[in-house]
């Protein structure tokens, strides 16, 4: 007897419509809108390198959170658009690539190194 198949019903992370999850957590309609916004942002940044998140959002007609999401996902860097001013996730220093500034990266690496050197008896 064949095993019953599980259906992975989820709600779209953007609009909340119920759908079967295949590969994405976003419905086709919202995915298309997101891709169009990404193309608009990409085009604006190519014409205005170094623009701030606020400038991008204002000129592209979107919320700053949408721009942040593209930065955090790494999509803008993957298409060669690194020069967008945004904040370090830890200290809020203005940076132009990645999610952490050099100082926070160094502190994090030092903390990890220190934790690795702690013996099990000291834990």
């Amino acid at each position: 007897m064949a095993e019953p198949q599980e259906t992975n019903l989820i709600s779209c992370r953007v609009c909340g419509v119920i759908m079967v999850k295949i590969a994405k957590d976003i419905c086709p309609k919202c995915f298309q809108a997101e891709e169009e916004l990404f193309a608009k942002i990409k085009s604006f940044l190519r014409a205005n390198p170094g623009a701030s998140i606020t400038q991008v959002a204002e000129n592209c007609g979107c919320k700053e959170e949408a721009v942040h999401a593209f930065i955090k996902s790494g999509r803008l860097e993957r298409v060669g658009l690194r020069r967008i001013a945004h904040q370090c996730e830890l200290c809020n220093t203005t940076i132009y690539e990645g999610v952490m500034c050099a100082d926070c990266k160094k502190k994090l690496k030092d903390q990890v190194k220190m934790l690795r050197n702690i013996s099990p008896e000291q834990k």
Side-chain angles (χ1 to χ4, degrees):
M1 186 191 256
E3 291 183 30
Q5 287 186 338
E6 272 189 48
T7 46
N8 295 327
L9 292 178
I10 62 166
S11 60
C12 171
R13 68 175 156 80
V14 177
C15 70
V17 70
I18 303 297
M19 61 183 215
V20 175
K21 181 177 181 181
I22 297 172
K24 300 179 194 90
D25 62 349
I26 187 170
C27 72
K29 182 179 174 184
C30 291
F31 177 75
Q32 182 63 36
E34 193 173 85
E35 290 303 301
E36 289 170 6
L37 176 60
F38 181 74
K40 196 174 191 180
I41 290 171
K42 186 170 72 169
S43 176
F44 176 78
L45 286 171
R46 286 215 168 106
N48 302 279
S52 71
I53 290 176
T54 302
Q55 291 169 325
V56 174
E58 287 174 357
N59 284 281
C60 295
C62 66
K63 294 182 179 179
E64 289 184 20
E65 291 80 21
V67 182
H68 278 289
F70 288 129
I71 293 169
K72 284 183 181 181
S73 71
R75 284 188 75 185
L76 291 173
E77 287 186 22
R78 285 194 300 269
V79 295
L81 298 171
R82 298 179 177 189
R83 300 286 309 159
I84 181 169
H86 60 284
Q87 270 48 60
C88 168
E89 291 291 313
L90 300 177
C91 71
N92 291 326
T93 298
T94 300
I95 57 177
Y96 291 91
E97 60 183 71
V99 293
M100 277 189 280
C101 68
D103 289 340
C104 287
K105 283 180 190 176
K106 184 182 179 327
K107 287 177 189 174
L108 187 60
K109 284 180 184 179
D110 291 346
Q111 288 174 350
V112 169
K113 186 177 180 181
M114 183 187 74
L115 289 171
R116 285 185 178 155
N117 291 331
I118 296 175
S119 67
E121 298 85 41
Q122 292 174 322
K123 290 183 183 177

